[in-house]
């Protein structure tokens, strides 16, 4: 009908204020042709930016906990807080000196960043590249992508779950299946990540009556099923490597450490050692000041009493009994730990030149890599995070404040668009992460840094949308 009207106009001119279909088609083709080179540039440059720290280092970045994951394939038993799923993932890349693992991490990051922009109708190659550059310079993201550790999957898991639940209908079948498998894998790599994703699914069902069709039931069901699949994946990996159908151990021991750090364990021992005979009673006045010193110190009482094998039962008993004995103190400690964890967001914790356990695991099981590992800049103490954190910490804290502002403004208006719903989701994820990690393990910069970069990402998305609306910039296929 529209084309007939154009043909009937004098000289074939369109009605005033209307654009001929052929002209619009030409513009779309021109826009796609102009975007194509940038799409290739973004696809090549962004993974390189994400892996820049590892490339500069000359070897994948290592962390204090890396060795525990690496050893899972070789040692045949379950280690507290060390996922066998991530251990198998690392083992698959050992012949490439783990560069294959880093490539996967970089490409997965690129994919999920792009997919997030696409479902929000903001996918432009140049925009994606600009956001990636800012995230590379101002957040922990490239350090996470360049490291042999589960942390990169925590923030990406939140974004993947959001896309799968909220924008399920915008995905192709292969994208939906791939995102489902990735989210399941992310959940299986760390119990804290599993907990955050579980909390988001529970929150989704709670707010479903208010958000209606914005949260499709099919999407919520798929989101929950990713956790079922992730749990099955972890149990299967644990059984395959250890012969035990069990969850990754360590929760009680880690919680005990946090309670000890808060002084709760010492109080419990002083109150009950005259009635209950516990291994720790003779050492109740020798407990170290921090959980890290207790669990990982060389001359710790924990080592003398048999570490996790000798102390798991007693630590679980004390943690459970102390929880019931001092509920108000536990509540106050939990609130303080959550608040402290929210602001502990510095990059680089545990990524130093002194990681003897990880070195020992590589020397024992991967001797062919020792030379390359020892030659890396990290092992020569050449990575200095103090200067980096002069940028990263203020950016992270500012991003969280702006993110909360975006979410609260939307709630005040009682209307959430797609970007504001993502902002609210990330706020819940950050709070959940701070609670789980702060209360169970005690506050650490590493736990905050692995998640807070997605706050910066969402703030950049909101800024990009504002600029697009202001200057009339349409989304171009990326």
């Amino acid at each position: 009908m529209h084309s007939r009207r154009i043909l009937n106009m004098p000289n074939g001119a369109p009605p005033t204020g209307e654009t001929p279909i052929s002209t619009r088609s030409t513009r779309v083709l021109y826009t796609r042709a102009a975007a194509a080179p940038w799409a290739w540039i973004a696809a090549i440059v962004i993974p390189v930016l994400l892996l820049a720290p590892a490339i500069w280092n000359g070897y994948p970045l290592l962390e204090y906990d890396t060795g525990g994951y690496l050893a899972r394939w070789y040692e045949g038993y379950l280690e507290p807080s060390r996922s066998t799923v991530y251990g198998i993932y690392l083992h698959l890349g050992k012949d490439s000196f783990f560069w294959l693992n880093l490539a996967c991490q970089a490409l997965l990051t690129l994919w999920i960043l792009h997919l997030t922009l696409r479902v929000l109708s903001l996918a432009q190659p140049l925009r994606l590249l600009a956001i990636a550059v800012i995230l590379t310079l101002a957040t922990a993201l490239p350090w996470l992508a360049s490291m042999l550790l589960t942390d990169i999957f925590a923030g990406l898991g939140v974004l993947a779950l959001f896309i799968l639940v909220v924008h399920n209908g915008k995905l192709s079948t292969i994208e939906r299946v791939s995102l489902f498998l990735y989210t399941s894998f992310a959940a299986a790599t760390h119990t804290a990540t599993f907990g955050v994703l579980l909390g988001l699914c529970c929150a989704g069902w709670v707010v479903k009556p208010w958000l209606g069709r914005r949260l499709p039931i099919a999407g919520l069901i798929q989101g929950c099923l990713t956790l079922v699949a992730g749990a099955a994946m972890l149990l299967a990996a644990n059984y395959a490597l250890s012969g035990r159908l069990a969850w990754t151990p360590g929760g009680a021991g880690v919680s005990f450490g946090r309670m000890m750090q808060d002084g709760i364990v010492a109080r419990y021992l002083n109150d009950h050692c005259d009635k209950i005979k516990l291994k720790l009673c003779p050492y109740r006045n020798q407990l170290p000041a921090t959980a890290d010193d207790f669990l990982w110190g060389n001359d710790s009482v924990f080592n003398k009493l048999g570490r996790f094998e000798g102390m798991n039962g007693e630590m679980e008993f004390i943690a459970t009994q102390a929880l019931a004995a001092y509920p108000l103190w536990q509540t106050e400690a939990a609130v303080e730990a959550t608040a402290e964890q929210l602001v502990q967001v510095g990059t680089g914790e545990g990524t130093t030149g002194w990681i003897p356990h990880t070195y020992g695991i590589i020397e024992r099981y991967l001797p062919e890599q020792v030379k390359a590992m020892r030659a890396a800049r990290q092992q020569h103490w050449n990575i200095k995070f103090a200067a980096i954190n002069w940028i990263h910490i203020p950016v992270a804290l500012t991003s969280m404040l702006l993110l909360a502002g975006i979410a609260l403004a939307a709630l005040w208006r009682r209307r959430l668009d797609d970007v504001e719903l993502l902002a609210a989701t990330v706020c819940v994820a950050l709070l959940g992460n701070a609670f789980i990690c702060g209360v169970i393990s005690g506050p650490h910069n590493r736990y905050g840094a692995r998640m807070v970069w997605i706050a910066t990402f969402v703030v950049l998305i909101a800024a990009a949308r504002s600029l697009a609306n202001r200057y009339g910039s349409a989304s171009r296929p990326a």
Side-chain angles (χ1 to χ4, degrees):
M1 184 68 174
H2 182 75
S3 58
R4 201 177 300 137
R5 288 175 59 201
I6 293 175
L7 291 173
N8 291 334
M9 293 297 292
N11 301 321
T16 304
E18 295 190 25
T19 304
I21 292 177
S22 60
T23 304
R24 289 204 302 271
S25 299
T26 301
R27 287 181 180 174
V28 170
L29 291 173
Y30 177 79
T31 298
R32 289 178 177 174
W38 282 110
W40 282 105
I41 291 171
I44 295 170
V45 171
I46 292 175
V48 173
L49 290 175
L50 292 171
L51 298 185
I55 295 170
W56 171 82
N57 187 52
Y59 189 79
L61 294 177
L62 304 174
E63 205 264 353
Y64 196 89
D65 293 346
T66 302
Y69 292 104
L70 281 172
R72 300 287 48 79
W73 177 269
Y74 304 97
E75 293 183 344
Y77 61 86
L78 303 183
E79 180 78 5
S81 301
R82 303 292 177 262
S83 166
T84 53
V85 171
Y86 189 74
I88 293 171
Y89 162 80
L90 289 181
H91 179 74
L92 293 175
K94 70 179 181 63
D95 291 337
S96 69
F97 281 46
F98 303 109
W99 288 104
L100 179 61
N101 301 94
L102 296 193
C104 288
Q105 291 172 189
L107 292 174
L108 283 168
T109 303
L110 169 63
W111 176 51
I112 292 179
L113 292 182
H114 169 257
L115 201 56
T116 304
L117 291 175
R118 202 194 80 197
V119 299
L120 296 174
S121 300
L122 290 168
Q124 289 185 7
L126 191 56
R127 179 181 290 144
L128 174 62
L129 182 59
I131 288 175
V133 169
I134 295 172
L135 291 175
T136 298
L137 296 175
T139 75
L141 181 58
W143 299 93
L144 301 175
S146 293
M147 191 179 302
L148 299 181
L149 203 62
T150 65
D151 291 5
I152 183 61
F153 300 123
L156 292 179
V158 171
L159 295 175
L161 184 67
F162 172 82
I163 296 168
L164 192 64
V165 171
V166 179
H167 296 285
N168 193 279
K170 298 179 181 179
L171 304 174
S172 67
T173 301
I174 191 169
E175 286 175 331
R176 196 176 297 117
V177 171
S178 299
L179 208 58
F180 182 96
L181 292 174
Y182 168 74
T183 309
S184 300
F185 170 76
T189 61
H190 200 285
T191 302
T193 302
F194 187 95
V196 170
L197 298 182
L198 176 61
L200 287 175
C201 287
C202 292
W205 286 109
V206 170
V207 301
K208 167 65 180 169
W210 287 273
L211 293 180
R213 288 180 296 176
R214 299 294 305 284
L215 281 179
I217 290 179
L220 284 169
I221 291 173
Q222 286 196 49
C224 293
L225 288 176
T226 63
L227 298 179
V228 175
M233 194 182 300
L234 181 60
L235 291 172
N238 285 351
Y239 183 78
L241 293 188
S242 72
R244 293 177 56 200
L245 191 63
W247 196 262
T248 303
V254 175
S255 297
F256 172 92
R258 194 271 305 167
M259 292 183 192
M260 189 211 64
Q261 188 168 284
D262 291 334
I264 296 173
V265 170
R267 170 69 180 275
Y268 181 84
L269 293 174
N270 286 329
D271 289 349
H272 295 86
C273 274
D274 58 335
K275 308 168 190 174
I276 308 173
K277 298 303 179 184
L278 298 170
K279 296 178 185 178
L280 277 173
C281 285
Y283 302 97
R284 57 187 170 182
N285 296 320
Q286 302 174 31
L287 297 177
T290 70
D292 286 341
D293 288 339
F294 179 77
L295 293 172
W296 314 116
N298 291 329
D299 298 322
S300 171
V301 171
F302 186 57
N303 290 344
K304 296 177 183 177
L305 297 177
R307 295 190 59 76
F308 288 101
E309 186 176 348
M311 289 294 295
N312 256 336
E314 182 163 311
M315 289 191 298
E316 183 175 357
F317 174 81
I318 293 174
T320 304
Q321 294 299 312
L323 191 63
Y326 316 110
L328 182 59
W329 190 355
Q330 295 277 15
T331 301
E332 292 174 352
V335 172
E336 291 177 6
T338 301
E340 186 178 348
Q341 181 59 75
L342 276 173
V343 297
Q344 288 211 14
V345 292
T347 300
E349 183 183 35
T351 308
T352 67
W354 190 81
I355 43 176
H357 181 256
T358 295
Y359 295 156
I361 294 298
I362 293 175
E363 289 167 354
R364 185 183 312 165
Y365 298 116
L366 300 168
E368 71 279 5
Q369 298 198 29
V370 170
K371 182 178 180 180
M373 181 268 291
R374 289 292 184 185
R377 284 184 166 89
Q378 178 185 353
Q379 278 57 261
H380 293 272
W381 295 82
N382 288 336
I383 301 179
K384 309 296 182 183
F385 285 102
I388 292 170
N389 280 319
W390 277 104
I391 299 172
H392 286 192
I393 292 176
V395 168
L397 297 177
T398 302
S399 296
M400 285 194 290
L401 288 174
L402 292 173
L403 186 77
I406 293 169
L408 290 173
L411 292 174
W412 179 261
R413 296 195 311 270
R414 297 183 180 180
R415 180 179 59 82
L416 286 168
D417 64 22
D418 285 347
V419 174
E420 290 159 346
L421 183 56
L422 175 58
T425 300
V426 173
C427 283
V428 174
L430 290 173
L431 283 171
N433 180 70
F435 176 78
I436 292 171
C437 295
V439 172
I440 295 178
S441 299
H444 288 78
N445 278 294
R446 177 193 150 200
Y447 302 148
R450 71 184 178 193
M451 188 73 76
V452 75
W453 68 267
I454 58 176
T456 308
F457 179 46
V458 177
V459 169
L460 291 172
I461 289 175
R465 182 189 61 172
S466 177
L467 290 172
N469 291 339
R470 181 172 182 179
Y471 296 105
S473 170
S475 177
R476 301 171 187 168

